[in-house]
């Protein structure tokens, strides 16, 4: 609904501005188009300006045989400026119609940009609902580093993975980590198959040979962490000692092999909470697919996805991401080391606490070039500083992961264990369900380092380890 003030503005516009500027056409007030990207330093066209999504309601249907997806995306958003039009990101698929506030909207596509022009302009601060109906065969996206994401067809269904850009292959949205929202994802699949997603299962019902699974995520989620897994999964529900739901979906071919590791999940969660603070979501679990479908794990929110083969270390890593990445989410893809450095360091800590190498030993092996089997890999660690990846293709390279972990270890060395764990937990608590960048992090650490001497020490770490080129000349 337009406010009376906005309607008055329309009058002003048509009388005064039309004559002088000729800028007021149609229903135009002072609204202008929303930006087609949020200028991410690595992916400038990801996301869109002018609005904030608060909720996605996705109603999907998928038929693995034809690879046909039908979708309705109900997007609730708040305009952050007066908008004559706004963009969504959607790659491939056919859009049949779009409504905004219940009225048919015009739209136009160019690449992955879907420009929507509502019948009535949107006022700054106004909450609006956009509904997009679409269908087609979703695309598998090949990233700059060669890995596959987006919509991945499997032998028995499909898997949707969205880091860093793949979610636009299966639903329209504001696909940048800076705009988090709650989700309801409903998927209908042929009877006999399961459809798994993030959050809690609120409904499962079968009608006319098709089963619908409805999933609810109340806590904010970045779109790259949304997932759908369709297939012959063994779906299991249990609860932790604290009463939290654990939902696992395991490909029957991997059920036996993955049981031992998956059984460790409750203990690893307890260990993580002890170290990082309260778990930030209302359910947990895992999706384990068959080997060969996907070559990596992903920290999909509440329900990380694993390739057929995985071990305790990887489970620790993806669960640590629930705090670092999923709850505290990077403001841009440049801040990726905040995800991967912490998740990698969590693996080292877990080893240290479970009779393995100490984090210091892991750090030393990396510094001494004895960590990786190949000398080339040991060298690659120093290719660029964690906070400044070379380009989009390098955001998942070892300077982001292992050298990122080394930054965290250096902080621990500088401030001591007690202060270190206070910082880790305080960081996770302060930025819980929010976005943060490297600046926020360094400021937080400096403020909580425990005095001028410690502050001076961590400042040197930023220069040498976080932003500095090449291998620091002392450990
Ligand atoms: N984030 C994943 C992990 O740590 C790895 C990963 C998957 C990734 N896809 C990516 C990293 C794309 C960067 C970009 O387990
Ligand atoms: Zn990771």
């Amino acid at each position: 609904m337009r406010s009376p003030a906005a309607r008055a503005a329309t009058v002003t516009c048509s009388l005064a501005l039309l004559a002088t500027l000729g800028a007021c056409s149609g229903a135009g007030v002072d609204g202008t188009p929303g930006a087609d990207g949020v200028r991410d330093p690595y992916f400038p066209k990801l996301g869109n300006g002018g609005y904030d999504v608060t909720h996605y309601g996705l109603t999907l249907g998928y038929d693995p045989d034809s690879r046909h997806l039908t979708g309705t995306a109900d997007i609730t958003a708040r305009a952050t400026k007066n908008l004559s039009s706004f963009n969504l990101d959607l790659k491939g698929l056919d859009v049949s119609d779009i409504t905004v506030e219940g009225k048919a909207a015009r739209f136009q596509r160019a690449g992955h940009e879907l420009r929507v022009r509502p019948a009535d302009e949107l006022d700054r601060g106004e909450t609006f609902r956009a509904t997009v109906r679409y269908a087609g065969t979703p695309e598998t996206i090949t990233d700059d580093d060669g890995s596959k994401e987006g919509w991945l067809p499997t032998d028995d269904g499909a898997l949707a993975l969205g880091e860093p850009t793949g979610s636009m292959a299966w639903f329209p949205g504001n696909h940048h980590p800076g705009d988090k929202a709650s989700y309801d994802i409903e998927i209908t699949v042929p009877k006999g198959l399961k459809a798994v997603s993030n959050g809690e299962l609120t409904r499962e019902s079968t009608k006319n040979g098709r089963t619908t699974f409805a999933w609810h995520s109340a806590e904010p989620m970045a779109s790259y962490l949304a997932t759908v897994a369709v297939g012959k999964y063994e779906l299991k529900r249990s609860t932790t000692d604290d009463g939290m739901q654990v939902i696992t979906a395991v490909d029957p071919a991997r059920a036996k092999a993955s049981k031992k590791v998956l059984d460790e999940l409750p203990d690893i969660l307890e260990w993580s909470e002890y170290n990082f603070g309260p778990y930030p979501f209302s359910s947990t679990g895992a999706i384990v697919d068959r080997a060969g479908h996907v070559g990596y794990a992903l920290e999909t929110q509440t329900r990380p996805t694993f390739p057929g083969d995985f071990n305790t270390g990887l489970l620790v890593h993806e669960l640590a991401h629930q705090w670092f990445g999923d709850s505290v989410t990077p403001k841009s893809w440049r801040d990726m080391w905040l995800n991967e450095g912490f998740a990698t360091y969590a693996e080292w800590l877990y080893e240290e606490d479970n009779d393995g190498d100490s984090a210091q030993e892991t750090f030393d092996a990396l510094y001494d070039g004895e960590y990786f089997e190949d000398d080339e890999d040991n060298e690659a660690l120093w290719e660029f500083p964690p906070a400044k990846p070379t380009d989009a293709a390098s955001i998942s390279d070892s300077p982001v992961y292992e050298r990122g972990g080394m930054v965290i270890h250096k902080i621990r060395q500088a401030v001591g264990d007690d202060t270190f764990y206070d910082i880790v937990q305080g960081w996770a608590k302060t930025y819980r369900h929010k976005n943060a960048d490297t600046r926020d992090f360094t400021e937080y650490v400096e403020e909580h380092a425990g005095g001028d001497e410690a502050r001076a020490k961590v400042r040197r770490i930023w220069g040498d380890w976080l932003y500095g080129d090449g291998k620091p000349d002392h450990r």
Side-chain angles (χ1 to χ4, degrees):
M1 265 294 145
R2 307 190 59 87
S3 65
R7 213 167 291 139
T10 311
V11 174
T12 313
C13 174
S14 45
L15 293 183
L17 286 179
L18 190 63
T20 49
L21 300 171
C24 301
S25 62
V29 196
D30 51 351
T32 51
D36 63 359
V38 295
R39 302 191 186 168
D40 184 280
Y42 293 81
F43 303 92
K45 287 294 160 100
L46 282 190
N48 304 284
Y51 65 94
D52 251 319
V53 178
T54 51
H55 182 76
Y56 289 93
L58 308 178
T59 307
L60 310 172
Y62 188 64
D63 176 45
D65 288 339
S66 61
R67 294 191 177 176
H68 189 75
L69 177 81
T70 56
T72 300
D74 250 315
I75 300 169
T76 309
R78 198 177 50 81
T80 54
K81 64 193 258 318
N82 294 338
L83 288 169
S84 56
S85 70
F86 62 90
N87 278 32
L88 295 166
D89 298 323
L90 179 69
K91 195 161 196 293
L93 302 166
D94 301 311
V95 175
S96 53
D97 74 273
I98 300 181
T99 62
V100 176
E101 291 294 87
K103 288 190 194 172
R106 284 191 282 160
F107 61 91
Q108 199 183 332
R109 304 189 69 180
H112 75 245
E113 296 299 335
L114 169 58
R115 179 170 294 263
V116 182
R117 197 183 162 86
D120 300 323
E121 289 205 348
L122 300 165
D123 299 333
R124 179 192 160 97
E126 176 180 351
T127 294
F128 63 97
R129 191 155 159 177
T131 303
V132 181
R133 264 178 258 282
Y134 59 100
T137 300
E139 289 178 23
T140 302
I141 296 170
T142 303
D143 286 331
D144 293 327
D145 70 355
S147 55
K148 309 266 189 211
E149 56 158 342
W151 194 263
L152 308 161
T154 59
D155 297 344
D156 54 342
L159 190 57
L161 295 176
E163 190 178 28
T165 72
S167 291
M168 64 170 77
W170 59 284
F171 68 96
N174 195 16
H175 289 298
H176 186 270
D179 189 1
K180 306 210 276 187
S182 57
Y183 282 72
D184 278 285
I185 302 178
E186 186 186 299
I187 324 123
T188 301
V189 294
K191 188 181 157 188
L193 295 182
K194 300 282 199 296
V196 188
S197 185
N198 316 85
E200 296 86 59
L201 183 62
T202 56
R203 185 165 57 88
E204 178 182 342
S205 60
T206 301
K207 208 171 87 183
N208 303 329
R210 286 160 66 79
T211 307
T212 298
F213 297 83
W215 297 88
H216 176 66
S217 296
E219 297 96 5
M221 176 160 76
S223 77
Y224 79 94
L225 299 166
T227 189
V228 162
V230 176
K232 290 176 185 150
Y233 290 101
E234 283 180 8
L235 197 55
K236 275 197 195 146
R237 287 206 260 185
S238 58
T239 46
T240 63
D241 292 344
D242 297 341
M244 188 173 52
Q245 270 194 65
V246 185
I247 303 173
T248 57
V250 181
D251 187 304
R254 301 306 304 168
K256 225 176 132 201
S258 60
K259 186 177 182 315
K260 194 159 163 274
V261 176
L262 277 184
D263 283 348
E264 296 181 67
L265 194 145
D267 285 347
I268 296 172
L269 264 189
E270 207 181 299
W271 175 87
S272 305
E273 290 200 287
Y274 180 75
N275 288 288
F276 313 144
Y279 179 71
F281 305 114
S282 9
S283 63
T284 180
I287 297 168
V288 182
D289 199 14
R290 209 172 301 177
H293 287 154
V294 52
Y296 58 85
L298 188 64
E299 62 268 29
T300 39
Q301 193 155 304
T302 66
R303 207 136 295 123
T305 309
F306 297 91
D309 268 325
F310 71 111
N311 55 25
T312 305
L314 199 54
L315 183 56
V316 169
H317 181 110
E318 303 308 335
L319 289 177
H321 271 310
Q322 303 303 312
W323 283 258
F324 309 108
D326 296 14
S327 169
V328 183
T329 304
K331 276 187 189 161
S332 89
W333 289 110
R334 181 166 50 202
D335 307 308
M336 183 75 178
W337 82 275
L338 284 172
N339 287 11
E340 302 305 344
F342 265 112
T344 302
Y345 197 65
E347 291 181 64
W348 304 352
L349 281 179
Y350 189 82
E351 277 208 20
E352 174 173 304
D353 288 352
N354 289 277
D355 307 319
D357 290 347
S358 67
Q360 183 64 50
E361 285 170 320
T362 306
F363 178 96
D364 287 340
L366 282 159
Y367 191 84
D368 295 332
E370 290 159 0
Y371 183 82
F372 298 106
E373 254 166 55
D374 281 339
D375 283 346
E376 249 176 70
D377 294 335
N378 288 311
E379 283 301 313
L381 189 59
W382 313 110
E383 241 158 50
F384 59 85
K388 290 191 292 178
T390 311
D391 51 27
S394 42
I395 62 167
S396 51
D397 289 353
S398 63
V400 172
Y401 281 70
E402 279 80 14
R403 189 169 162 186
M406 292 174 95
V407 173
I408 308 291
H409 187 69
K410 289 298 296 180
I411 297 168
R412 181 180 170 198
Q413 277 182 340
V415 302
D417 275 12
D418 284 353
T419 304
F420 174 71
Y421 283 102
D422 285 349
I423 287 176
V424 170
Q425 297 194 8
W427 170 250
K429 186 177 175 189
T430 304
Y431 288 93
R432 179 183 156 99
H433 297 162
K434 299 192 173 98
N435 290 86
D437 62 16
T438 303
R439 257 290 271 278
D440 296 323
F441 180 72
T442 54
E443 279 175 7
Y444 186 89
V445 174
E446 286 178 28
E447 195 182 323
H448 297 86
D452 291 344
E453 204 182 311
R455 189 170 304 121
K457 272 195 204 167
V458 296
R459 284 198 177 133
R460 281 197 294 277
I461 297 172
W462 312 152
D464 294 343
W465 288 87
L466 189 53
Y467 292 107
D469 287 320
K471 181 176 173 176
D473 59 14
H474 59 280
R475 69 187 73 202

